[in-house]
Amino acid sequence: MKKAKILGTGLSGLVGSRIVKLLADDFEFVNLDLKSGVDITNFDQVFDVFKDHQDAVGVIHLAAVTDVSRADRERDNKQGLVYKVNVAGTKNIAKAAGHFKKYLFHVSTDFVFDGRKKTPYTEEDQPNPIEWYGQTKLWAEEAVAKELDNYFIGRLAFPINADEPSGRQDFLHKVLSWLRNQEERSLFKDTIVTPTFIDDIAQVVKRAVNYQIVGLYHMTGSTYISPYNFARRAAKIFGFDDANITAGSFKAYLKIDPRPRQQYLAISNQKLESYLGFKMSSLDIALKMIKWQMGGI
Ligand SMILES: NC(=O)c1ccc[n+]([C@@H]2O[C@H](COP(=O)([O-])OP(=O)(O)OC[C@H]3O[C@@H](n4cnc5c(N)ncnc54)[C@H](OP(=O)(O)O)[C@@H]3O)[C@@H](O)[C@H]2O)c1
């Protein structure tokens, strides 16, 4: 049977490359990236590729400049690369999707929130970005909602998986490397993250595209945890000694490196579970799956 075609951006990235690998039997992906001659900041290039692939059933938009420190250096600079790719690039994708009447699956981030709320954020909570990356990603969400009716905005957080695409290591692989080499590391015990198994995101993409599900959803894991306890869970499941991982203080760190950082990012996935009927993995399940996928090391 002929596979449905999906146009995608950011498919060479940490998240996109894993999605393409996992959904290779379901979809034919057409990658819109710089190597294939598509800079998403250039509307004509985007328009032309949409025109060439009018048989596509939808678009998955992951491309972004995700370097939060770089974004901080470009704060308030709308001529900077971060704004251009994350906001202007997203507007171009949304405009082309609108013109060619394509369903758009847009990937956003938990960094649209300020991280001050101590209970889990839901889709009803008001975003309030405190740094430039989160601000540009919020403007990107708004551009999608303004241009289109037929869209899915999925907010992702702290992605982990078995792969290490070149130069793009997730936090789990950093932790495993520290543990393996017995490096001393101090990790925050007083911040909260919501680790998300990228393999679950692939299933969300598949359902959303196949059923053209519309709206704003948190597509995040089912465990809220500090980076310090994350590393200890990983050590336990992967069978490493965690003696060199120590508890660090977020508040103390901010005094050394004062760029804005979110402290509490517990992100609720209840809406996704109720509407898509899909249960996102707990951290323990995700880590066990990843260990198995990595050959049990
Ligand atoms: N990683 C996280 O911690 C995290 C957390 C929450 C949400 N997200 C969101 O998830 C999505 C994917 O993130 P990721 O970590 O997989 O990103 P990533 O590894 O940094 O990859 C970024 C992707 O964007 C592409 N890209 C950048 N500028 C482009 C341009 N001008 N034209 C076309 N393509 C361009 C890159 O292509 P090249 O390979 O050619 O450079 C690459 O494929 C992003 O929207 C991000 O905001 C990520």
Side-chain angles (χ1 to χ4, degrees):
M1 203 173 73
K2 200 169 181 299
K3 287 187 269 186
K5 185 188 276 185
I6 295 191
L7 299 181
T9 73
L11 299 184
S12 58
L14 171 68
V15 181
S17 57
R18 182 79 188 167
I19 290 174
V20 169
K21 185 170 167 180
L22 293 173
L23 299 185
D25 289 340
D26 299 279
F27 300 111
E28 175 197 343
F29 289 95
V30 177
N31 193 9
L32 282 55
D33 70 353
L34 301 172
K35 280 187 214 96
S36 65
V38 186
D39 179 344
I40 63 161
T41 67
N42 181 319
F43 182 71
D44 291 341
Q45 289 177 11
V46 171
F47 187 89
D48 284 349
V49 77
F50 271 70
K51 196 170 159 208
D52 288 346
H53 296 283
Q54 293 189 46
D55 54 340
V57 296
V59 185
I60 168 170
H61 174 42
L62 291 128
V65 178
T66 57
D67 180 342
V68 182
S69 299
R70 177 192 178 133
D72 192 54
R73 293 191 294 276
E74 288 185 11
R75 191 172 187 95
D76 296 330
N77 177 7
K78 292 192 174 177
Q79 304 308 317
L81 188 69
V82 177
Y83 181 90
K84 277 194 192 158
V85 174
N86 296 2
V87 186
T90 299
K91 274 186 194 163
N92 289 340
I93 296 292
K95 278 200 172 118
H99 181 88
F100 290 101
K101 301 197 171 21
K102 298 295 169 205
Y103 174 78
L104 177 63
F105 186 106
H106 171 69
V107 177
S108 190
T109 171
D110 55 340
F111 279 25
V112 297
F113 294 120
D114 58 23
R116 293 186 189 117
K117 189 174 172 228
K118 291 194 174 169
T119 53
Y121 284 99
T122 72
E123 292 80 353
E124 300 296 312
D125 283 309
Q126 197 57 38
N128 180 33
I130 55 170
E131 39 70 48
W132 190 236
Y133 166 72
Q135 176 63 72
T136 60
K137 292 292 291 185
L138 179 60
W139 282 331
E141 286 187 4
E142 290 167 358
V144 168
K146 183 167 171 250
E147 292 292 337
L148 300 168
D149 295 320
N150 198 18
Y151 67 84
F152 182 101
I153 294 175
R155 291 187 184 138
L156 167 63
F158 215 84
I160 56 170
N161 78 127
D163 290 341
E164 276 183 282
S166 55
R168 293 183 161 111
Q169 204 178 36
D170 63 23
F171 185 71
L172 173 63
H173 283 85
K174 288 183 186 145
V175 166
L176 293 177
S177 153
W178 299 331
L179 291 167
R180 198 175 294 118
N181 300 322
Q182 299 189 335
E183 279 181 47
E184 287 185 14
R185 287 284 157 169
S186 166
L187 297 173
F188 298 143
K189 200 180 176 184
D190 52 353
T191 64
I192 294 291
V193 295
T194 307
T196 305
F197 191 22
I198 299 177
D199 297 24
D200 289 344
I201 302 297
Q203 295 312 311
V204 175
V205 168
K206 188 171 159 180
R207 283 179 196 218
V209 172
N210 282 341
Y211 298 107
Q212 305 255 309
I213 294 163
V214 169
L216 170 68
Y217 291 87
H218 292 168
M219 42 180 201
T220 47
S222 294
T223 303
Y224 316 130
I225 195 166
S226 70
Y228 169 70
N229 283 323
F230 173 97
R232 294 181 68 205
R233 291 305 306 157
K236 188 166 181 9
I237 287 170
F238 281 80
F240 289 110
D241 178 3
D242 65 6
N244 288 328
I245 302 288
T246 55
S249 158
F250 177 74
K251 290 203 172 126
Y253 187 77
L254 281 189
K255 287 185 189 142
I256 311 167
D257 183 0
R259 105 168 144 67
R261 287 180 169 82
Q262 301 83 351
Q263 186 168 13
Y264 303 112
L265 286 174
I267 309 294
S268 165
N269 59 25
Q270 283 309 300
K271 181 179 173 190
L272 187 89
E273 191 177 331
S274 329
Y275 283 71
L276 270 77
F278 184 72
K279 176 86 187 142
M280 300 290 284
S281 302
S282 67
L283 178 61
D284 278 10
I285 296 286
L287 290 174
K288 284 175 187 164
M289 281 295 294
I290 292 169
K291 182 183 176 194
W292 178 76
Q293 290 168 344
M294 289 170 69
I297 56 133

